[in-house]
Amino acid sequence: MTFSVASVLRRRWRGPKYLLAIPAIIWYLVFFAAPIAFIVLYSFGTKDSSRLVPVDLGSLSTKSYSAVFDETFFKTFRATLRISVLATFLCVVIGLPVAYFAAFKVAEKWKAIILAAVVVPSFTSFLIRTVAWRIPLAPNGTLSKWLVGMGWISDNGIQILETPMAVQIAIVYNYLGFMILPLFVALDRIDVRMREASKDLGAGRVATFMGVTLPLAGPGIVAGVLLTFIPMCGDYVTATVLGGAKGNMIGAMIASQFSGAQNWPLGSAMAILMIAAVLLALVVGFVVVWIAPRLAALASPVVQVVRRKILSDQSPASK
Amino acid sequence: MYTWGDYNDPDLVGALAGSTLNVTMKVDYYASNEDLITKLAASAGSSGFDIVVPTGPYIPQMIEKGLIQKLDKTLIPNMINVDPNYLAQAWDPTNDYSVCKNWGTTGYFYDTTKISKELTTWQDFIDTCMGEASGNCSVIDAAPNYCGMWFWANKINWNTETKADLDACEKFLVEEFAQHIKAFDSYPSTKLAEGAYSIAMAWNGDARQAYVRIEEAGGNPADWKWVLGAPNTELWMDNYCVAAGAPNAEAAHAWINWDLIPEISIKDLSYHGYHTGMKNMSQLISEVAPDLVKGDMIFFGDEQVATMQTQVITPALDRLIDILNKSKAKAGADLA
Amino acid sequence: MRKKIEVLPKLLSAWTVLVLVFLFIPISLVFLHSFNYGGSFTIWSGRASTKWWGELFNGGVMYGVLIRFAVVVVAGVVFARITKRRENFSKRVSSLILPLTFVFAIVLNGLMTEWYRTIFDFAGIGDSIRNSFIAAFGATVIAVLIGGMSGVALARRPGGWTKFFMATVFLILVTPEIMDAIALATWFPRIKAIPVIGIIFSSGWGPFNGGINKLWVGQSLYSSAVVTLIVRARLSGLDEALEEAAADLGAPPGRAFRQITLPLIASAMVAGALLSFALCLDNAVISTLISEAGSTTFPVALLGATRSTIKPFWGVGAVLLFIVTLGALWFLAVILRRGGDSASKIAATFTGS
């Protein structure tokens, strides 16, 4: 491989520019684009359980889509989005102070330790971590008995397992690391002088944070949201292990259409609508993110002043 | 082997199979017969499974779809140890394809400290789930059992194909009952011990295991009561079959044969808690496992067995699955 | 005013500690409950026991393993110390000694005892762990090959195609896993109809049969996109002039690539590979829907087991996998540090920016 790549380099790409990407393009066509195209096709078919591929493509219809919009299914949709949006929000709120602390308030050595501590739990089996939440949350568990003993909760113990609450807790837990890391990277890149200049100009710490730090951390927040919100929406494991009937999420519902229920058209339609919903939520989210710093900038002319001051210092950003 | 959850003594599929038979077992689990058939059908003879354990009534369609192969009976001489009552069932009259693994039934299990009423029938179960234990009950995650509960309570044959019955069942389960369900859980034993439910529909063997788990969790097993479903309930029989295209058919036969040795079979029985259909069962138990606990949850009297009905696969099954799925959606939706 | 300044960092550090505790609660419970005496992972029976750990804690075996481990590691530490003092020894090499010692200690123990087999084969999870490694390894090789190549192409030969390709990569990253899972699960039965690829899949040999190849495909999608981004980010931060200069100076193309380009992207490739390996090792959603009997991985088997009682040995398996993954990450950190990267840069490499 080495040699072929090298000779391509030498020839200054006389072939098509995407030559090196051809394996990837083929791979993605065969194993990504084509299968998903079929899912789109199946979503317009009708269920026919007598066949090996249990879909009748003879008569295409949008029946499955209207079935998804049936009240009960639609509610699971809404519940999934609600859990994911809330969990993403909680991840930002919980993770931002940690990332901020690691980026600005500690020595280099401690940065490494904090980051390692954040990342390490993510490398234990996702499933066993999720299952492990059953231990502290069990109504007959040690924690529950202790809380009852202290008289802080009712005699029934912790009533969280098999509810959306358990899913909410575990999902925040499972994805928190994926939020903290990009937040840290973005914050860490911020030129300290920007913040100092802002303070020198008399802006309070709140104004500095809102006007300088937060807008500059924008890309990190965006990356973090992408890394957490999307997998959350399709999460199949957390809800299956902890959610019970009430914490059902759309991911588990889609999977069951393909394994147990054998209703491929319905499952396909659900999956497509889920992606549409995810993308819609992202667009809405980004519009908000796009507007917010501009509003903040309007509200805080300090930023403009700071930017100008830095430019006038003529010190090129070196980080 | 592709089987139901926690369905064999780990020794028998692990170390002991290795040392006695020189066979290494790999075990995967499925949650319903539909899952099993889907997985086998999807790979059309190349699933890689050797032994599968379908419930009786599903066997004819598996034969028809070519998912299981004929047993080589010469490799399973121990089939003579099986009580003839449990051989030659309607789904496989000559036992060419299957041999009884064990049979069991369905009932429910509840915490007497949380539920004050004495419960005896399916109607009691339904009422309790909708009343005292609302939001704190679990049901088996398999369509025939879930719908069967309502049919039995209303004295309708659970194999009914009558549209009116099915409609009434759907109406009740989806619109009135589903919202009270906490979980669809085919193996509630561990979660009962964690305290997640106060009442759970369960297969007898799993309910029996719940006693062990509850004790481990520091609870008092005497607080819990097992009720056999009434007026009618299910009798299911799971069978060893060899999958079509099994890569290790010979070892599969050897293992099945080994599991049909009475002593081995009883060892298995005392683990999973289901009647394995051996001849002279009561004598065997007193010889091999005299200290077996909770035998009344394994062996049932004749008049109890008379109330049990075997499932028949009918076109209505699709409808039952549909009811289960709608109930799941409904159960999950009321908080949204 | 002075006092107010002191309060904020304290609050922040307290919060950070709290969050870290939150992150470590379930992990420590997994460790604890893998020593549970009872028959269920989630229910603590009140007694600890090493019975689920198989032979590892059986007296003589354990001491043997520990002694060998200690001897090798101590020797490694001493050796590392000596080499650090010597000036003719490059620092790059000496910093690698310790991790290599660990690897050596594990391999040595594996060669001299059967303890891997006795633990990993316990209760049938041995096969699933082995399958996890084979699947993750294959998927990583694919991801690094196709991701690395397209990363180089994106950074060095941008053009009209870049937009489309990046859009595809972005789509792969934002598609929820469950979608890929169902798409592939319904795609594989049809794949026989495709020329060449269909033949490899339907009548494959060795590892190309038995479903592992499906896992390679499924797991490689996301991770190859990640590798692409990481390599692209690393290369576009570096000046192409270096490579051109080498060519202008008459370096043979093979050598220019080996000595200039490869070192530039090597750390990005290694980072991508290890990240991809860790992601694949833990993949549950895609793997569950497409795996077959012969290719059940640890997460797939565990997901199956969650339907009934989860035995404590699943915790044991998870702990062992955790140690392996952690070792890989540590190794990576050492490699990146060797190149002079700070913690911040390592984190940045991982997030592909």
Side-chain angles (χ1 to χ4, degrees), chain C residues 168-215:
Chain C
T168 313
V169 168
F170 184 73
L171 260 180
I172 291 173
L173 289 175
V174 302
T175 307
E177 239 185 308
I178 186 77
M179 182 76 181
D180 295 330
I182 58 170
L184 284 173
T186 53
W187 177 242
F188 282 126
R190 284 183 180 268
I191 205 159
K192 285 172 193 160
I194 301 177
V196 188
I197 295 172
I199 294 166
I200 296 176
F201 267 81
S202 52
S203 55
W205 66 94
F208 289 95
N209 213 340
I212 289 276
N213 54 0
K214 295 183 183 174
L215 293 179

Side-chain angles (χ1 to χ4, degrees), chain B residues 33-51:
Chain B
N33 284 298
E34 288 79 14
D35 278 358
L36 165 69
I37 292 172
T38 309
K39 197 93 174 180
L40 288 181
S43 51
S46 66
S47 68
F49 293 114
D50 294 310
I51 305 174

Side-chain angles (χ1 to χ4, degrees), chain A residues 12-250:
Chain A
R12 299 269 158 226
W13 261 269
R14 248 172 252 138
K17 290 184 167 178
Y18 47 82
L19 197 67
L20 277 179
I22 283 179
I25 291 171
I26 295 176
W27 198 256
Y28 296 153
L29 271 180
V30 176
F31 295 118
F32 183 72
I36 288 186
F38 266 94
I39 289 292
V40 175
L41 187 60
Y42 290 146
S43 72
F44 293 104
T46 42
K47 183 185 171 185
D48 179 1
S49 45
S50 66
R51 307 180 184 203
L52 200 58
V53 173
V55 185
D56 180 9
L57 292 172
S59 53
L60 300 182
S61 75
T62 53
K63 223 179 67 191
S64 302
Y65 286 92
S66 36
V68 179
F69 281 102
D70 173 44
E71 196 196 11
T72 44
F73 287 124
F74 198 64
K75 278 184 174 165
T76 311
F77 247 101
R78 274 206 341 236
T80 305
L81 276 184
R82 199 198 48 207
I83 288 182
S84 307
V85 169
L86 183 58
T88 309
F89 176 74
L90 285 173
C91 279
V92 175
V93 171
I94 296 172
L96 196 56
V98 177
Y100 183 87
F101 180 71
F104 297 126
K105 301 290 177 192
V106 295
E108 185 68 24
K109 185 184 163 198
W110 278 97
K111 275 186 193 182
I113 292 174
I114 293 176
L115 283 185
V118 167
V119 172
V120 160
S122 311
F123 289 97
T124 329
S125 162
F126 185 95
L127 258 162
I128 204 87
R129 265 185 286 153
T130 311
V131 171
W133 273 108
R134 296 196 73 90
I135 300 166
L137 296 182
N140 289 347
T142 316
L143 179 67
S144 178
K145 280 179 185 156
W146 182 72
L147 288 175
V148 171
M150 301 292 281
W152 289 351
I153 54 172
S154 79
D155 285 353
N156 289 332
I158 305 174
Q159 289 294 335
I160 288 183
L161 273 188
E162 318 292 339
T163 68
M165 184 62 145
V167 179
Q168 189 80 62
I169 292 174
I171 226 169
V172 169
Y173 170 77
N174 278 333
Y175 292 95
L176 188 55
F178 295 102
M179 179 64 86
I180 294 179
L181 210 57
L183 281 181
F184 167 81
V185 171
L187 287 175
D188 197 53
R189 287 207 173 137
I190 295 175
D191 197 329
V192 183
R193 285 168 306 167
M194 285 277 262
R195 287 159 38 83
E196 279 166 0
S198 170
K199 281 181 199 159
D200 289 348
L201 288 171
R205 45 178 69 246
V206 175
T208 304
F209 182 77
M210 297 303 287
V212 179
T213 313
L214 205 55
L216 287 173
I221 298 179
V222 170
V225 168
L226 284 178
L227 277 174
T228 53
F229 179 70
I230 294 161
M232 278 176 191
C233 287
D235 192 331
Y236 156 61
V237 170
T238 313
T240 312
V241 173
L242 296 171
K246 307 239 182 283
N248 203 1
M249 282 175 76
I250 200 73

Side-chain angles (χ1 to χ4, degrees), chain A residues 251-306:
Chain A
M253 210 170 200
I254 294 172
S256 77
Q257 299 306 324
F258 286 86
S259 54
Q262 284 291 291
N263 196 341
W264 290 15
L266 185 61
S268 305
M270 283 177 174
I272 288 164
L273 286 175
M274 174 187 66
I275 290 194
V278 168
L279 291 179
L280 188 71
L282 285 178
V283 168
V284 171
F286 287 144
V287 166
V288 172
V289 170
W290 186 77
I291 290 175
R294 276 154 189 79
L295 287 179
L298 282 179
S300 157
V302 176
V303 183
Q304 310 300 331
V305 181
V306 169

Side-chain angles (χ1 to χ4, degrees), chain C residues 12 20 40 106 115 123 139 175 190 246 250 254 256 258 305 331 342 347-349:
Chain C
L12 280 174
L20 290 182
S40 158
I106 291 171
W115 67 278
T175 307
R190 284 183 180 268
R258 264 202 315 280
F331 205 74
S342 65
T349 307

Side-chain angles (χ1 to χ4, degrees), chain B residues 20 29 45 115 125 135 165 209 243 276 325:
Chain B
T20 329
Y29 306 104
I115 290 161
F125 176 78
D165 290 342
Q209 288 198 16
T276 52
N325 277 318

Side-chain angles (χ1 to χ4, degrees), chain B residues 91-163:
Chain B
W91 49 80
D92 186 13
T94 50
N95 281 89
D96 279 341
Y97 289 89
S98 65
V99 57
C100 170
K101 175 188 186 292
N102 53 43
W103 63 272
T105 184
T106 308
Y108 53 91
F109 197 64
Y110 70 95
D111 184 348
T112 51
T113 61
K114 301 242 173 75
I115 290 161
S116 47
K117 220 177 115 196
E118 169 91 21
L119 311 180
T120 52
T121 64
W122 284 119
Q123 192 59 51
D124 290 346
F125 176 78
I126 293 174
D127 290 344
T128 311
C129 286
M130 292 172 69
E132 214 170 354
S134 172
N136 223 348
C137 62
S138 87
V139 292
I140 288 179
D141 189 8
N145 295 79
Y146 173 63
C147 300
M149 160 189 82
W150 184 83
F151 289 129
W152 292 316
N154 290 282
K155 303 187 177 63
I156 300 169
N157 186 318
W158 71 318
N159 294 316
T160 179
E161 287 181 69
T162 321
K163 193 167 179 302

